[in-house]
Amino acid sequence: MSEVAPFYIPTLGDMYAARERIAPHVHVTPVLTSRMLNELTGAELFFKCENLQKAGAFKARGASNAVFSLSDEQAARGVATHSSGNHGTCLSYAASRRGIPCTVVMPSTAPQAKKDAVRGYGARIVESEPSTSSREAVFAEVVASTGAEFVHPYNDWRVIAGQATCSAELIEQVEGLDAVVAPIGGGGMVSGTCLTLSNLAPNVKIYAAEPLNADDAARSFRAGRIIADDAPVTVADGLKVPLKELTWHFVRNHVTDILTATEEEIVDAMKLIWKRMKIVMEPSSAVPLATIIKNRDLFAGKRVGLIITGGNVDLDKLPWN
Amino acid sequence: MSEVAPFYIPTLGDMYAARERIAPHVHVTPVLTSRMLNELTGAELFFKCENLQKAGAFKARGASNAVFSLSDEQAARGVATHSSGNHGTCLSYAASRRGIPCTVVMPSTAPQAKKDAVRGYGARIVESEPSTSSREAVFAEVVASTGAEFVHPYNDWRVIAGQATCSAELIEQVEGLDAVVAPIGGGGMVSGTCLTLSNLAPNVKIYAAEPLNADDAARSFRAGRIIADDAPVTVADGLKVPLKELTWHFVRNHVTDILTATEEEIVDAMKLIWKRMKIVMEPSSAVPLATIIKNRDLFAGKRVGLIITGGNVDLDKLPWN
């Protein structure tokens, strides 16, 4: 489709349009606080709870924006993506809200719980082998046979404009933020955060938080070019994917720094949030708190927003069991 | 102390006084909803989230009311209780807010996590043997040596008046409720619910929810007298204790019915709430949803409040692991 050129950079206007478009389909999620975690870090922390978002993740925002910006003709052919995580579930959710077909290509090895979540909202799953080449071949076949619109998990301006609505809410909910810390995988949430804050709250510093075991974004940031790793291993399974052109644009231009945390620090932070805040969230969502605990001097005395990106965790396989 | 006669029945005025007294020390907890759980049950469910309460349980209400209604002279001698559960933690919390001593008698066999929670707010723990006779002897010695005020976990009018503030909030947060379902152990939360609703919303039916494995309250209700079991075994470990005179008064006079659920039904409901609502709560708090799922015809089409009583669960020993 002509208006989705690969390098179109979404604007603040696209964020506002997204916000209006997706309002009937997503929650304005609450911001929670914890006195105990404030005492622990010396900072004032504000947790933006996208684990309480529709379909359990912020990706409902971007997926809904993409699905509801399609023309009727495009929509009739449906949408498709490849994802074994929250984007597949959230695209399935958004498509079900519009009543259009959705196909998700997933590796045959994906956990049953993730397949169930995608099917739960009505999408069709087409399985590929675990390799990238098989996934790409299967996906090309799906698009060729259906004419479905490809909605990339993050390298898509409609998706980024949708994710950008999250921090627009956050700065309305919390006054005088000094910084926002968001997990980074492919960079969709961070890019959306950059889009909104660089325009509406340019004094708020933006930090990305990444597992040390999958620190390709941090290394890209220091090298000044995209570095992609092959199959990193981390408990924060939403953060394994590499940056792409569009997200690299935002990261390079608007992020203050990319901080990393070890697997143990991530699991400890996750458990601390579950125990103290009584919310169920994913390992990926614990990386911001892990980096704040680790970099006390950077955040002490500051008002800091943290994005809790999602809550779709397999309760039968918790990382501390 | 003269004004705490064993059979003094707290009034609506006591609830209002409690509400004002404890306001600086407890949260007005949020009410959450879930479209998926509404679809599952055919009812409109409103979850009153006391797992998000200070110290992680509704018992912060009653404990704070008891602690802050003491005279300065009484307060100087401190408070004491016997509890291996949330009441000990919450009394410790309330005492720390007033800056007075607190002693909790716990069996030596109590889990380390529970001891840590009590000590976390500054209380002193005195250990007894696991038997009732040892506990009573040790407790009598504590009171004799300190002059501390005994705050019973539930058979205390100040505690019941404090718990009664929970449903006062609920009926302000949710209009037109048809029923409220609360877990029942000793009956403190249910009694507080009865106190408030029988006065302010007498058309709202009150159901108590109990593990089948610890169904002494249900059998008491049918028999018309208190039946106490010896050491029932259930995953809902907050609900093992028997009714006492004061709570029996409220249960007998104001409860519509007491419904039970099996261990498996409780664990399934708990997991469903964690998975769908993304909140961490105790097995005891899942019993209301378990009974609503089981008694569909009773609740379908109704607006039903559920009390999520607490969130202090041992993350290393989840009941489905």
Side-chain angles (χ1 to χ4, degrees):
Chain A
M1 44 182 292
S2 58
E3 74 269 19
V4 192
F7 292 98
Y8 173 73
I9 308 291
T11 64
L12 191 65
D14 293 322
M15 185 281 286
Y16 282 125
R19 199 166 177 191
E20 192 174 329
R21 187 179 291 126
I22 70 179
H25 312 294
V26 300
H27 289 306
V28 174
T29 52
V31 173
L32 299 184
T33 61
S34 162
R35 196 175 61 168
M36 181 270 171
L37 293 179
N38 286 351
E39 283 166 7
L40 178 74
T41 59
E44 274 186 280
L45 305 181
F46 301 90
F47 295 83
K48 177 68 171 162
C49 287
E50 292 293 301
N51 57 328
L52 304 178
Q53 186 51 270
K54 287 286 183 187
F58 77 90
K59 284 167 184 274
R61 297 175 185 267
S64 296
N65 191 45
V67 163
F68 283 91
S69 55
L70 297 176
S71 69
D72 287 347
E73 191 191 344
Q74 290 170 324
R77 293 193 296 268
V79 287
T81 198
H82 47 75
S83 162
S84 54
N86 283 326
H87 177 66
T89 304
C90 290
L91 192 66
S92 178
Y93 163 76
S96 77
R97 296 282 292 186
R98 188 154 180 185
I100 65 173
C102 176
T103 308
V104 180
V105 173
M106 294 177 85
S108 53
T109 51
Q112 192 58 39
K114 302 211 168 190
K115 293 179 186 169
D116 291 346
V118 169
R119 282 204 195 94
Y121 291 109
R124 175 175 71 113
I125 292 175
V126 177
E127 294 192 351
S128 71
E129 297 304 307
S131 70
T132 305
S133 58
S134 166
R135 187 197 70 192
E136 288 177 353
V138 170
F139 187 74
E141 206 175 309
V142 164
V143 171
S145 66
T146 60
E149 176 75 15
F150 175 30
V151 182
H152 190 278
Y154 53 91
N155 199 44
D156 181 309
W157 72 268
R158 303 163 299 187
V159 169
I160 291 174
Q163 321 305 30
T165 62
C166 179
S167 48
E169 289 173 16
L170 177 60
I171 56 175
E172 289 168 7
Q173 291 168 310
V174 184
E175 284 181 11
L177 281 176
D178 296 299
V180 168
V181 188
I184 191 159
M189 169 50 73
V190 167
S191 295
T193 305
C194 290
L195 167 54
T196 296
L197 298 186
S198 67
N199 282 285
L200 296 180
N203 292 329
V204 180
K205 288 188 175 172
I206 301 164
Y207 292 90
E210 192 174 36
L212 184 62
N213 278 10
D215 67 344
D216 55 288
R219 286 183 289 124
S220 301
F221 190 70
R222 304 201 196 301
R225 62 181 172 81
I226 297 178
I227 297 171
D229 286 342
D230 195 37
V233 175
T234 171
V235 66
D237 58 0
L239 306 181
K240 294 176 178 180
V241 290
L243 296 167
K244 295 275 184 187
E245 298 79 1
L246 205 45
T247 53
W248 173 236
H249 163 84
F250 284 102
V251 168
R252 186 179 44 174
N253 287 297
H254 299 295
V255 164
T256 293
D257 203 357
I258 301 184
L259 308 170
T260 59
T262 66
E263 298 298 291
E264 191 184 352
E265 289 162 348
I266 295 168
V267 173
D268 285 351
M270 178 178 172
K271 213 168 168 182
L272 199 56
I273 292 174
W274 283 49
K275 189 171 173 190
R276 288 297 173 161
M277 301 186 64
K278 315 296 183 193
I279 56 172
V280 170
M281 29 70 83
E282 301 167 358
S284 303
S285 301
V287 187
L289 181 62
T291 63
I292 289 170
I293 291 172
K294 194 172 183 173
N295 297 275
R296 186 187 172 88
D297 291 350
L298 205 54
F299 297 103
K302 302 281 184 9
R303 288 166 69 82
V304 184
L306 295 82
I307 314 295
I308 302 290
T309 43
N312 294 328
V313 63
D314 185 345
L315 294 174
D316 293 318
K317 288 182 189 160
L318 295 174
W320 53 75
N321 284 136
Chain B
M1 44 182 292
S2 58
E3 76 267 17
V4 190
F7 291 99
Y8 173 74
I9 308 292
T11 65
L12 191 64
D14 294 320
M15 184 281 287
Y16 283 125
R19 199 167 177 190
E20 193 173 328
R21 187 179 292 126
I22 70 178
H25 312 292
V26 301
H27 289 306
V28 174
T29 52
V31 173
L32 299 184
T33 61
S34 163
R35 195 176 62 168
M36 182 270 172
L37 294 179
N38 286 352
E39 283 168 7
L40 178 74
T41 59
E44 272 186 281
L45 305 181
F46 301 91
F47 295 83
K48 177 69 170 162
C49 287
E50 292 293 300
N51 57 329
L52 304 179
Q53 186 52 270
K54 287 285 181 188
F58 76 90
K59 283 168 184 274
R61 297 175 184 268
S64 297
N65 191 45
V67 163
F68 283 91
S69 55
L70 296 177
S71 70
D72 288 345
E73 190 192 345
Q74 290 170 324
R77 293 192 296 268
V79 288
T81 197
H82 48 74
S83 161
S84 55
N86 282 326
H87 177 66
T89 303
C90 289
L91 192 65
S92 177
Y93 163 75
S96 77
R97 295 284 291 186
R98 190 156 177 182
I100 65 174
C102 175
T103 308
V104 180
V105 173
M106 295 177 85
S108 54
T109 51
Q112 191 58 40
K114 302 211 169 188
K115 293 180 187 170
D116 291 345
V118 169
R119 282 204 194 94
Y121 291 109
R124 176 174 71 115
I125 293 176
V126 176
E127 294 193 352
S128 72
E129 297 303 308
S131 70
T132 305
S133 58
S134 166
R135 187 197 68 194
E136 287 177 353
V138 170
F139 187 74
E141 207 174 307
V142 164
V143 171
S145 65
T146 60
E149 175 76 15
F150 177 30
V151 181
H152 190 278
Y154 51 91
N155 199 43
D156 181 311
W157 72 268
R158 302 163 299 185
V159 170
I160 291 173
Q163 322 304 30
T165 62
C166 179
S167 49
E169 288 172 17
L170 178 61
I171 56 174
E172 289 168 6
Q173 292 168 309
V174 184
E175 284 180 11
L177 281 177
D178 297 299
V180 168
V181 187
I184 192 161
M189 169 49 74
V190 167
S191 294
T193 306
C194 290
L195 167 54
T196 297
L197 297 186
S198 67
N199 282 286
L200 296 180
N203 291 330
V204 179
K205 289 189 175 172
I206 301 164
Y207 292 91
E210 193 174 37
L212 185 62
N213 279 10
D215 67 342
D216 54 289
R219 285 183 290 122
S220 301
F221 190 70
R222 303 200 198 303
R225 60 180 174 84
I226 297 179
I227 297 171
D229 285 342
D230 196 37
V233 175
T234 170
V235 66
D237 57 1
L239 306 181
K240 293 176 177 179
V241 290
L243 296 169
K244 295 273 185 189
E245 298 81 358
L246 204 45
T247 52
W248 173 236
H249 163 84
F250 285 102
V251 168
R252 187 179 44 173
N253 287 298
H254 299 295
V255 164
T256 294
D257 202 357
I258 300 184
L259 308 171
T260 58
T262 65
E263 298 296 291
E264 191 184 351
E265 289 162 347
I266 294 168
V267 173
D268 285 351
M270 177 178 173
K271 212 169 168 182
L272 199 56
I273 291 174
W274 283 49
K275 188 171 173 188
R276 288 297 173 163
M277 301 187 65
K278 314 296 182 193
I279 55 172
V280 170
M281 29 70 83
E282 301 168 358
S284 302
S285 302
V287 188
L289 181 62
T291 63
I292 289 170
I293 292 172
K294 194 172 183 174
N295 296 275
R296 187 188 172 87
D297 291 351
L298 204 54
F299 297 103
K302 302 282 186 3
R303 288 166 70 82
V304 184
L306 296 81
I307 314 294
I308 302 291
T309 42
N312 295 329
V313 64
D314 186 344
L315 294 173
D316 293 318
K317 288 182 189 160
L318 295 173
W320 52 77
N321 283 136

